[in-house]
CSV table of all heavy atoms in Angstrom, one decimal:
chain,number,residue,atom,x,y,z
A,46,ASP,N,80.9,52.7,45.4
A,46,ASP,CA,79.7,53.4,45.2
A,46,ASP,C,78.9,52.9,44.0
A,46,ASP,O,77.7,53.1,43.9
A,46,ASP,CB,79.9,54.9,45.2
A,46,ASP,CG,80.2,55.5,46.5
A,46,ASP,OD1,79.5,55.0,47.5
A,46,ASP,OD2,81.0,56.4,46.7
A,47,CYS,N,79.6,52.5,42.9
A,47,CYS,CA,79.0,52.2,41.7
A,47,CYS,C,79.6,50.9,41.1
A,47,CYS,O,80.7,50.5,41.3
A,47,CYS,CB,79.2,53.3,40.6
A,47,CYS,SG,78.5,54.9,41.2
A,48,ILE,N,78.7,50.2,40.3
A,48,ILE,CA,79.2,49.1,39.5
A,48,ILE,C,78.8,49.3,38.0
A,48,ILE,O,77.8,50.0,37.8
A,48,ILE,CB,78.7,47.7,40.0
A,48,ILE,CG1,77.2,47.7,40.0
A,48,ILE,CG2,79.3,47.4,41.4
A,48,ILE,CD1,76.6,46.3,40.5
A,49,GLN,N,79.5,48.8,37.1
A,49,GLN,CA,79.2,49.0,35.7
A,49,GLN,C,78.1,48.1,35.2
A,49,GLN,O,78.1,46.9,35.5
A,49,GLN,CB,80.5,48.7,34.8
A,49,GLN,CG,81.6,49.6,35.0
A,49,GLN,CD,81.3,51.0,34.4
A,49,GLN,OE1,80.6,51.1,33.4
A,49,GLN,NE2,81.8,52.0,35.1
A,50,LEU,N,77.1,48.6,34.6
A,50,LEU,CA,75.9,47.9,34.2
A,50,LEU,C,76.3,46.8,33.2
A,50,LEU,O,75.8,45.7,33.2
A,50,LEU,CB,74.8,48.8,33.6
A,50,LEU,CG,74.1,49.7,34.6
A,50,LEU,CD1,73.3,50.7,33.8
A,50,LEU,CD2,73.2,48.9,35.5
A,53,ILE,N,77.3,43.3,34.7
A,53,ILE,CA,76.4,42.5,35.5
A,53,ILE,C,75.9,41.4,34.7
A,53,ILE,O,75.3,41.6,33.6
A,53,ILE,CB,75.2,43.4,36.0
A,53,ILE,CG1,75.7,44.5,36.9
A,53,ILE,CG2,74.3,42.5,36.8
A,53,ILE,CD1,74.7,45.5,37.3
A,66,TYR,N,74.5,40.9,43.0
A,66,TYR,CA,74.8,41.1,41.6
A,66,TYR,C,76.0,40.3,41.3
A,66,TYR,O,77.1,40.4,41.9
A,66,TYR,CB,75.1,42.6,41.3
A,66,TYR,CG,73.9,43.5,41.5
A,66,TYR,CD1,73.7,44.2,42.7
A,66,TYR,CD2,73.0,43.8,40.5
A,66,TYR,CE1,72.7,45.0,42.9
A,66,TYR,CE2,71.9,44.6,40.7
A,66,TYR,CZ,71.8,45.2,41.9
A,66,TYR,OH,70.7,46.1,42.1
A,93,THR,N,65.2,49.1,37.3
A,93,THR,CA,66.1,50.2,37.6
A,93,THR,C,66.1,51.2,36.5
A,93,THR,O,66.3,50.8,35.3
A,93,THR,CB,67.6,49.7,37.9
A,93,THR,OG1,67.5,48.7,38.9
A,93,THR,CG2,68.4,50.8,38.4
A,95,THR,N,68.3,54.0,35.1
A,95,THR,CA,69.6,54.7,35.3
A,95,THR,C,69.8,55.7,34.1
A,95,THR,O,69.2,55.5,33.0
A,95,THR,CB,70.7,53.7,35.3
A,95,THR,OG1,70.7,52.9,34.1
A,95,THR,CG2,70.6,52.8,36.5
A,97,THR,N,73.1,56.7,33.5
A,97,THR,CA,74.5,56.6,33.1
A,97,THR,C,74.8,55.1,32.9
A,97,THR,O,73.8,54.3,32.9
A,97,THR,CB,75.4,57.0,34.3
A,97,THR,OG1,75.3,56.2,35.4
A,97,THR,CG2,75.1,58.5,34.7
A,98,SER,N,76.0,54.7,32.7
A,98,SER,CA,76.4,53.3,32.4
A,98,SER,C,76.7,52.6,33.7
A,98,SER,O,77.2,51.4,33.7
A,98,SER,CB,77.6,53.3,31.5
A,98,SER,OG,78.7,53.9,32.1
A,99,GLN,N,76.3,53.2,34.8
A,99,GLN,CA,76.6,52.6,36.1
A,99,GLN,C,75.3,52.5,37.0
A,99,GLN,O,74.4,53.3,36.8
A,99,GLN,CB,77.6,53.4,36.9
A,99,GLN,CG,79.0,53.5,36.2
A,99,GLN,CD,80.0,54.3,37.0
A,99,GLN,OE1,79.6,55.3,37.6
A,99,GLN,NE2,81.2,53.9,37.1
A,100,LEU,N,75.4,51.5,37.9
A,100,LEU,CA,74.4,51.4,38.9
A,100,LEU,C,75.1,51.9,40.2
A,100,LEU,O,76.1,51.4,40.6
A,100,LEU,CB,73.9,50.0,39.1
A,100,LEU,CG,72.8,49.7,40.1
A,100,LEU,CD1,71.5,50.5,39.7
A,100,LEU,CD2,72.5,48.2,40.1
A,101,CYS,N,74.5,52.9,40.9
A,101,CYS,CA,75.2,53.5,42.0
A,101,CYS,C,74.4,53.5,43.3
A,101,CYS,O,73.2,53.3,43.3
A,101,CYS,CB,75.5,55.0,41.6
A,101,CYS,SG,76.7,55.1,40.3
A,102,SER,N,75.1,53.8,44.3
A,102,SER,CA,74.5,53.8,45.7
A,102,SER,C,73.4,54.9,45.8
A,102,SER,O,72.6,54.8,46.8
A,102,SER,CB,75.5,54.0,46.8
A,102,SER,OG,76.2,55.2,46.6
A,104,ASP,N,71.0,55.3,43.5
A,104,ASP,CA,69.9,54.9,42.7
A,104,ASP,C,68.8,54.3,43.5
A,104,ASP,O,69.0,53.7,44.6
A,104,ASP,CB,70.4,53.9,41.6
A,104,ASP,CG,71.2,54.6,40.5
A,104,ASP,OD1,71.0,55.8,40.2
A,104,ASP,OD2,72.2,54.0,40.0
A,105,VAL,N,67.6,54.3,42.9
A,105,VAL,CA,66.4,53.7,43.5
A,105,VAL,C,66.0,52.6,42.6
A,105,VAL,O,66.0,52.7,41.4
A,105,VAL,CB,65.3,54.7,43.7
A,105,VAL,CG1,64.0,54.0,44.1
A,105,VAL,CG2,65.7,55.8,44.7
A,106,VAL,N,65.6,51.4,43.1
A,106,VAL,CA,65.2,50.3,42.4
A,106,VAL,C,63.7,50.0,42.7
A,106,VAL,O,63.4,49.9,43.9
A,106,VAL,CB,66.0,49.0,42.7
A,106,VAL,CG1,65.5,47.8,41.9
A,106,VAL,CG2,67.5,49.3,42.3
A,122,LEU,N,69.4,52.1,47.2
A,122,LEU,CA,70.6,51.3,47.2
A,122,LEU,C,71.6,52.0,48.2
A,122,LEU,O,71.5,53.2,48.5
A,122,LEU,CB,71.2,51.2,45.8
A,122,LEU,CG,70.4,50.4,44.8
A,122,LEU,CD1,71.1,50.3,43.5
A,122,LEU,CD2,70.1,49.0,45.3
A,125,PHE,N,78.1,49.0,47.4
A,125,PHE,CA,78.2,47.6,46.9
A,125,PHE,C,79.4,47.0,47.4
A,125,PHE,O,80.5,47.5,47.3
A,125,PHE,CB,78.3,47.6,45.3
A,125,PHE,CG,77.1,48.2,44.6
A,125,PHE,CD1,77.0,49.5,44.4
A,125,PHE,CD2,76.1,47.3,44.2
A,125,PHE,CE1,75.9,50.1,43.8
A,125,PHE,CE2,75.0,47.9,43.5
A,125,PHE,CZ,74.9,49.2,43.3
Side-chain angles (χ1 to χ4, degrees):
D46 284 322
C47 300
I48 57 176
Q49 293 292 324
L50 289 170
I53 299 172
Y66 295 93
T93 309
T95 58
T97 67
S98 61
Q99 298 180 321
L100 183 60
C101 296
S102 59
D104 289 326
V105 173
V106 177
L122 297 178
F125 298 84

